[in-house]
């Protein structure tokens, strides 16, 4: 969230001013060590009779309530220790670590609710100082967790690598966990995901994918949790996943950035990195969160090989189809030429027949020099005689006497006409066949 990021951007540089900020989980760990063990001290919860078994200060109070407690500062070094004791607010560093405001930044939360009798204390070598303090909850305090720490800091003058005299502040703190009664609102959010992929030239071994995500606490109580990253390819096929990732304890109004590198991720094309966070509130699971970010990771070597194979296959199919088409065209042209030759032969035969038929009547007709003599004699009617007797048929006299005329032989003329008509029909049919065969397709 924007306000979380702004606060972290403001607090992180200030926290760097404290060169030592030991945040103990147990009294033994609550110690700072200076060069040569001259300065070493611890800060732990205490009582009027000395330290207790507590490792931190924990309170549950209502608005307007007040609690009194003790803190012990022990000098474990070889010189007398002069420390400044004060309370301040806590926040999460970029890596999720527990951090406290620097001394020059005044607290506004639980650190401002703590009062001490005085600020500076001197602790002899091997001695302990039990310091009383009070925590007063404002009447308008917001419900939820308020986290801070009690700090004992010592400033030492030392020489740096360049020979300059510098003052180094070393701090040791004991944590304060205060919960104000009221409605509890645990809210976790995944605010940002960044994915970077190193695409290898040879994709078979896979490449490294770096996933960076931000988890923010926008509620009013602290939580921790577990997270996992899964990388999926096309059709949701899982190509990589991370181990279980611990989400550090997130304080209210804080954000943590977590980065993980996944090795051997195959560039399967469109890759989707999904981050799943399971927050846990005091041992109880909260609602699971999931966010994803997609990117392209192409196996270029495989893509080039596939394209070459496809191009070769297309070329082979094209050449095969072209050869088949040319063979079919050649076969069709041969068959057409054969049919045309047969048709031309038939047309020639029919034309010859037609010409022969046309010439036949001339052969049948008598030539001008030939003489064909046909005589027809018609006898005059005879006068009847008393005795009827058959009239003898006498042969016509030679020379065509008797006054008769010449008549044509009509049977021969009709036959010649029929033959000539058939010849014309056959010749026309032959010429038509020849015309059709020569016509282009």
């Amino acid at each position: 969230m924007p306000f979380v990021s702004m606060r972290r951007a403001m607090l992180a540089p200030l926290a760097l001013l404290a060169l030592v900020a030991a945040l103990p989980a147990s009294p033994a760990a609550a110690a700072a060590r200076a060069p040569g063990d001259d300065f070493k001290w611890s800060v732990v919860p205490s009582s009027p009779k000395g330290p207790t078994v507590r490792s931190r200060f924990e309170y549950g109070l209502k608005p307007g309530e007040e609690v009194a407690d003790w803190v012990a500062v022990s000098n474990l070094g070889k010189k007398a220790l002069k420390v400044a004791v004060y309370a301040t607010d806590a926040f999460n560093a970029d890596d999720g670590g527990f951090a406290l405001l620097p001394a020059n930044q005044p607290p506004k939360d639980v650190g401002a609710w703590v009062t001490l009798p005085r600020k500076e204390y001197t602790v002899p070598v091997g001695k302990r100082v039990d310091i009383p303090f009070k925590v007063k909850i404002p009447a308008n305090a917001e419900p939820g967790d308020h986290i801070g720490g009690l700090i004992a800091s010592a400033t030492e003058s030392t020489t740096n690598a360049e020979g300059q005299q510098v003052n180094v502040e070393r701090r040791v703190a004991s944590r304060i966990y205060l919960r104000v009664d009221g409605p509890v609102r645990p809210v976790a959010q995944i605010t940002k995901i960044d994915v970077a992929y190193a695409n290898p030239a040879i994709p078979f071994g896979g490449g490294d994918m770096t996933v960076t995500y931000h988890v923010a606490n926008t509620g009013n109580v602290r939580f921790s949790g577990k997270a996992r990253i899964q990388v999926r390819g096309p059709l949701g096929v899982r190509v990589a996943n991370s181990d279980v990732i611990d989400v550090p304890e997130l304080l209210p109004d804080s954000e943590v950035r977590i980065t993980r590198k996944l090795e051997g991720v195959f560039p399967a094309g469109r890759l989707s990195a999904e981050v799943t966070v399971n927050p846990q509130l005091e041992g109880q699971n909260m609602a699971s969160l999931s966010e994803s970010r997609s990117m392209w990771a192409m196996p270029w070597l495989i893509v080039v090989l596939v394209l070459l194979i496809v191009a070769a296959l297309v070329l082979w199919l094209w050449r095969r189809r072209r050869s088949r088409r040319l063979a079919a065209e050649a076969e069709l042209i041969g068959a057409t030429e054969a049919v045309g030759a047969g048709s031309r032969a038939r047309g020639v035969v029919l034309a010859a027949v037609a010409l022969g038929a046309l010439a036949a009547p001339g052969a049948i007709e008598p030539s001008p020099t030939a003489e064909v003599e046909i005589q027809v004699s018609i006898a005059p009617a005879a006068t009847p005689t008393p005795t009827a007797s058959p009239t003898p048929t006498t042969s016509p006299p030679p020379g065509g006497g008797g006054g008769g005329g010449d008549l044509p032989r009509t049977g021969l003329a009709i036959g010649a006409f029929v033959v000539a008509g058939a010849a014309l029909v056959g010749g026309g049919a032959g010429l038509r066949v020849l015309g059709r065969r020569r016509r282009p397709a």
Side-chain angles (χ1 to χ4, degrees), residues 374-428:
I374 302 175
Q375 295 181 355
V376 178
S377 298
I378 302 175
T383 302
T385 57
T387 55
S389 60
T391 302
T393 302
T394 60
S395 298
D406 295 335
L407 295 177
R409 298 179 61 183
T410 56
L412 181 59
I414 293 173
F417 179 78
V418 171
V419 171
L424 291 175
V425 172

Side-chain angles (χ1 to χ4, degrees), residues 88 110 115 120 151 192 281 327 331 372 381:
T88 191
V110 67
T115 57
E120 294 185 352
I151 298 174
K192 186 179 180 181
L281 175 63
E331 183 178 357
V372 178

Side-chain angles (χ1 to χ4, degrees), residues 128-181:
R128 182 190 77 244
V129 176
D130 295 315
I131 304 172
F133 67 91
K134 293 181 180 180
V135 181
K136 172 81 172 171
I137 310 301
N140 61 349
E142 295 183 0
D145 288 337
H146 301 265
I147 316 299
L150 269 172
I151 298 174
S153 67
T155 302
E156 179 187 11
S157 179
T158 185
T159 303
N160 61 14
E162 288 77 18
Q164 299 174 340
Q165 291 290 326
V166 295
N167 292 327
V168 179
E169 181 187 24
R170 306 182 187 277
R171 307 195 304 176
V172 181
S174 183
R175 302 184 186 186
I176 299 174
Y177 286 89
L178 171 63
R179 176 167 293 183
V180 177
D181 289 353

